[in-house]
Amino acid sequence: MSFKNLLTFVSAAAALTGTYAALTRRVACPDGKNTATNAACCQLFAVRDDLQQNLFHGGQCTAEAHESLRLTFHDAIAISPALEAQGKFGGGGADGSIAIFSEIETAFHPNIGLDEIVALQKPFIARHNLSHADFIQFAGAIGASNCPGAPQLAAFVGRKDATQPAPDGLVPEPFHTPDQIFARLADASQGEFDPILTVWLLTAHTVAAANDVDPTKSGLPFDSTPGLWDTQFFVETQLRGTLFPGKGGNQGEVESPLPGEIRLQSDHTIARDPRTACEWQSFVDNQPKAQAMFQFVFHDMSILGQNIDDLVDCTEVVPIPPPPQGRTHLPAGLTMNDVEQACAETPFPTLPTDPGPRTSVAPV
């Protein structure tokens, strides 16, 4: 399905959802303040307000918001029908296992550093009558909603919690090859997440940072605007790398174009892989696509391993994110000559360059 057709479908679905909600009798929630299309969603209003005030610093696109979104992927992607076909346990997907069995799963190499956000979230789970599985995905959706330009992400309740930890080896690593990553995501999604949809999932890196790739540095952003859901990530991963933000030589890291910015090897190679290079470039200066495509794949990722017929859609509880800010640009000090274009089919978009001294990226 082309982007234009899919965007039309997503927009139409959103319009129909809004119309349906407006015409459907709403349930008065016990808090006396809110109403919902389904009583099962009423509990989420208190969870949302607690998260916004006490984890996300009054509704900010902070490191806690970034890590909460990261946690959704690391929990959900840990499922393997291929292992199940071999008679082995393949994990439960979006089942909360990374929090329920945190001492086991946060010790897995790709999950290093997630013990901190898991520990921060646990008191919230204890305060509210919500499953670990539902909470992780809901917290990620709420965190993302604080980032200007983000899409409104799906929220469901009714997932079944894990009864055993996921096996190790199911979360992609930044040093994995594109072939390894594409195969892993295809397995987890029973073929849905192909190389193109893998690029869509990586849109989340627009508000992401690394804490443990370089052991000497933490909070290293993947682009120069980590507080904004924009397309700078797709621009800056295609710029020529010239330096490391720290000592360099770390597994899964390659040179980045800006002081303070880290580039994952996996982002670098997928941006230049012939199967994905043109899709990657197509996100540059295309804010509607950066919103719609991630909204689409997050919906499906967030219910991996679950039966959607058993779930209640509570997306209405997720705030509409603030509008986009700024413009797509080349960082100050760089020019179009610094672009390493990998897509041979279409020209790289012409972008303005920020004025002033060379951009330097602060940690988050």
Side-chain angles (χ1 to χ4, degrees), residues 17 31 52 95 134 155 160 185 203 217 228 250 252 256 278-279 285 330 337 346:
T17 300
D31 62 9
Q52 291 287 60
D95 62 358
D134 287 342
K160 296 178 181 177
L185 266 62
T203 305
K217 301 279 186 178
L228 301 177
N250 300 296
S256 73
C278 289
E279 185 65 16
D285 200 23
L330 294 173
N337 291 331
T346 56

Side-chain angles (χ1 to χ4, degrees), residues 215-293:
T216 68
K217 301 279 186 178
S218 63
L220 294 171
F222 296 157
D223 73 10
S224 59
T225 56
L228 301 177
W229 193 284
D230 57 18
T231 66
Q232 282 303 121
F233 168 70
F234 290 100
V235 174
E236 293 170 26
T237 45
Q238 294 183 83
L239 299 176
R240 184 175 299 106
T242 57
L243 47 77
F244 292 104
K247 66 174 185 176
N250 300 296
Q251 188 180 39
E253 180 188 10
V254 297
E255 289 181 321
S256 73
L258 299 172
E261 180 176 295
I262 193 169
R263 179 180 292 176
L264 300 183
Q265 176 185 322
S266 51
D267 290 339
H268 178 89
T269 53
I270 292 174
R272 290 158 177 77
D273 189 281
R275 292 165 290 184
T276 47
C278 289
E279 185 65 16
W280 196 280
Q281 181 181 293
S282 73
F283 278 84
V284 173
D285 200 23
N286 194 339
Q287 185 69 22
K289 185 169 186 175
Q291 295 171 321
M293 299 303 94

Side-chain angles (χ1 to χ4, degrees), residues 145-171:
S145 78
N146 296 326
C147 303
Q152 183 190 38
L153 299 181
F156 292 93
V157 295
R159 295 177 185 82
K160 296 178 181 177
D161 266 350
T163 58
Q164 57 182 311
D168 197 1
L170 298 183
V171 179

Side-chain angles (χ1 to χ4, degrees), residues 38-327:
N38 191 301
C41 301
C42 286
Q43 61 183 322
L44 293 182
F45 289 105
V47 183
R48 178 194 69 189
D49 294 347
D50 194 6
L51 282 168
Q52 291 287 60
Q53 185 61 39
N54 298 308
L55 184 61
F56 301 139
H57 306 280
Q60 301 298 310
C61 186
T62 58
E64 291 81 7
H66 305 166
E67 287 295 285
S68 292
L69 183 60
R70 179 188 174 208
L71 188 64
T72 65
F73 175 78
H74 285 247
D75 188 51
I77 208 65
I79 183 171
S80 175
L83 285 179
E84 295 284 348
Q86 298 172 23
K88 304 174 184 177
F89 177 61
D95 62 358
S97 64
I98 198 168
I100 298 168
F101 304 99
S102 57
E103 291 188 3
I104 296 173
E105 290 196 34
T106 61
F108 296 164
H109 191 266
N111 295 338
I112 290 174
L114 284 172
D115 57 318
E116 296 178 9
I117 190 63
V118 169
L120 287 173
Q121 288 188 1
K122 280 190 174 182
F124 293 86
I125 297 173
R127 284 199 292 271
H128 300 283
N129 185 27
L130 201 62
S131 70
H132 291 76
D134 287 342
F135 182 89
I136 287 173
Q137 301 301 323
F138 183 66
I142 297 300
S145 78
N146 296 326
C147 303
Q152 183 190 38
L153 299 181
F156 292 93
V157 295
R159 295 177 185 82
K160 296 178 181 177
D161 266 350
T163 58
Q164 57 182 311
D168 197 1
L170 298 183
V171 179
E173 298 261 27
F175 53 83
H176 283 167
T177 66
D179 282 346
Q180 289 175 300
I181 294 171
F182 297 155
R184 175 76 281 276
L185 266 62
D187 174 29
S189 63
Q190 296 185 308
E192 180 187 357
F193 294 163
D194 61 9
I196 298 301
L197 268 67
T198 299
V199 174
W200 299 0
L201 276 169
L202 288 170
T203 305
H205 282 185
T206 185
V207 291
N211 289 325
D212 298 284
V213 174
D214 184 337
T216 68
K217 301 279 186 178
S218 63
L220 294 171
F222 296 157
D223 73 10
S224 59
T225 56
L228 301 177
W229 193 284
D230 57 18
T231 66
Q232 282 303 121
F233 168 70
F234 290 100
V235 174
E236 293 170 26
T237 45
Q238 294 183 83
L239 299 176
R240 184 175 299 106
T242 57
L243 47 77
F244 292 104
K247 66 174 185 176
N250 300 296
Q251 188 180 39
E253 180 188 10
V254 297
E255 289 181 321
S256 73
L258 299 172
E261 180 176 295
I262 193 169
R263 179 180 292 176
L264 300 183
Q265 176 185 322
S266 51
D267 290 339
H268 178 89
T269 53
I270 292 174
R272 290 158 177 77
D273 189 281
R275 292 165 290 184
T276 47
C278 289
E279 185 65 16
W280 196 280
Q281 181 181 293
S282 73
F283 278 84
V284 173
D285 200 23
N286 194 339
Q287 185 69 22
K289 185 169 186 175
Q291 295 171 321
M293 299 303 94
F294 188 76
Q295 184 182 56
F296 178 86
V297 293
F298 180 87
H299 173 283
D300 290 4
M301 182 204 76
S302 73
I303 56 174
L304 287 175
Q306 303 286 336
N307 183 350
I308 194 171
D309 294 333
D310 295 335
L311 308 181
V312 176
D313 188 342
C314 297
T315 303
E316 63 185 309
V317 182
V318 179
I320 301 294
Q325 295 180 9
R327 62 177 184 173

